[in-house]
Amino acid sequence: MEDIRNNIARNIAECRKRMNLTQAQLAEKLNYSDKAVSKWERAEAVPDIYILSELAKIFGTTVDELISAEPKLPEQKQKQVFSFSKPIIALLSGGLVWVIATLCFAILQWCYVPFDNWLCFIYAIPLTAIVEIVFNMLWGKKYVSTILVSLLIWTLALSFFLTFPKTDLWLIFIICIPLQVLTVLWLFLKRKKPAEETGEKASKDDTDKTE
């Protein structure tokens, strides 16, 4: 039993480091406390079979490999390549919006449509912001989302204002001010983690295992 505990501790620590995860980040993925992860890596406690299976999914390996003395742990090269490609995908998607905007501008120009064709490029800005927000929600950082949402708010207001210049639509910029304040406040709003629950759960499981 002692050998298995040491194997698990070593393998969890090695897999975590290969994925460039901190103990806190790994704990968050498992909805556990970082103290529990620390105990596992110090061989002071053993995660239950469910948590072992969840760890195996996160690390891209198997439960057998996690408890093995000489595991064949997977390399993270593929993951690193995918991480590198994330901003490229986001930029290409945003670029596609501008390609469509350019096509619309050209078509309207050729057809002599009585419309301010240059507005196509103004409309492309909030549309690009929306596309980038979607990708950033999946892969990016919260502060980047805040910047993108701010860009979306003000460029949408600008688009409406330029489209209907003869109205009192300038008041829409007044509406944008509280929206901007809420967006900034959202940046500093931290998700409440059930630290006490996860801590108690981890402590209880660790106690059961050590007994």
Side-chain angles (χ1 to χ4, degrees):
M1 180 65 184
E2 190 69 25
D3 290 340
I4 294 178
R5 177 177 296 187
N6 291 330
N7 293 343
I8 293 174
R10 182 183 63 254
N11 294 336
I12 290 176
E14 184 175 347
C15 288
R16 177 181 62 78
K17 292 174 182 177
R18 286 191 181 194
M19 295 192 68
N20 295 319
L21 293 174
T22 64
Q23 290 182 346
Q25 289 171 333
L26 179 58
E28 185 176 3
K29 290 178 178 293
L30 297 168
N31 199 28
Y32 260 61
S33 68
D34 54 346
K35 292 181 180 179
V37 176
S38 178
K39 287 184 177 181
W40 298 339
E41 294 188 359
R42 295 199 307 269
E44 294 179 2
V46 178
D48 59 34
I49 187 63
Y50 173 76
I51 296 300
L52 280 174
S53 65
E54 290 299 307
L55 286 168
K57 292 178 183 178
I58 293 172
F59 296 146
T61 185
T62 64
V63 174
D64 289 341
E65 294 294 340
L66 285 178
I67 66 177
S68 175
E70 297 181 358
K72 297 179 181 179
L73 299 178
E75 297 294 336
Q76 298 301 321
K77 293 181 180 179
Q78 183 177 359
K79 180 180 178 62
Q80 291 174 359
V81 171
F82 180 67
S83 297
F84 176 76
S85 67
K86 289 177 182 179
I88 303 299
I89 294 172
L91 289 174
L92 288 175
S93 301
L96 182 60
V97 174
W98 287 89
V99 170
I100 295 173
T102 304
L103 288 175
C104 292
F105 173 83
I107 291 171
L108 292 173
Q109 191 74 18
W110 292 333
C111 296
Y112 299 101
V113 177
F115 180 76
D116 292 329
N117 300 343
W118 57 272
L119 286 175
C120 292
F121 299 108
I122 299 297
Y123 300 152
I125 301 175
L127 289 175
T128 303
I130 292 172
V131 171
E132 299 304 325
I133 286 170
V134 172
F135 282 104
N136 193 70
M137 287 293 185
L138 296 174
W139 302 327
K141 304 294 184 180
K142 192 174 182 179
Y143 73 89
V144 178
S145 291
T146 303
I147 296 173
L148 291 172
V149 171
S150 300
L151 179 65
L152 175 62
I153 291 171
W154 292 101
T155 54
L156 273 178
L158 179 63
S159 298
F160 281 110
F161 178 75
L162 293 176
T163 304
F164 309 101
K166 295 182 180 180
T167 64
D168 293 332
L169 206 59
W170 62 269
L171 293 172
I172 196 171
F173 292 105
I174 303 299
I175 300 175
C176 290
I177 295 175
L179 291 176
Q180 180 65 70
V181 172
L182 290 174
T183 302
V184 174
L185 291 176
W186 174 73
L187 173 63
F188 297 100
L189 181 65
K190 294 183 178 180
R191 187 180 64 179
K192 186 177 180 181
K193 298 180 181 180
E196 294 183 0
E197 290 184 14
T198 55
E200 291 176 0
K201 182 178 179 181
S203 298
K204 183 177 179 180
D205 290 342
D206 295 339
T207 303
D208 293 340
K209 292 299 180 181
T210 53
E211 290 177 355

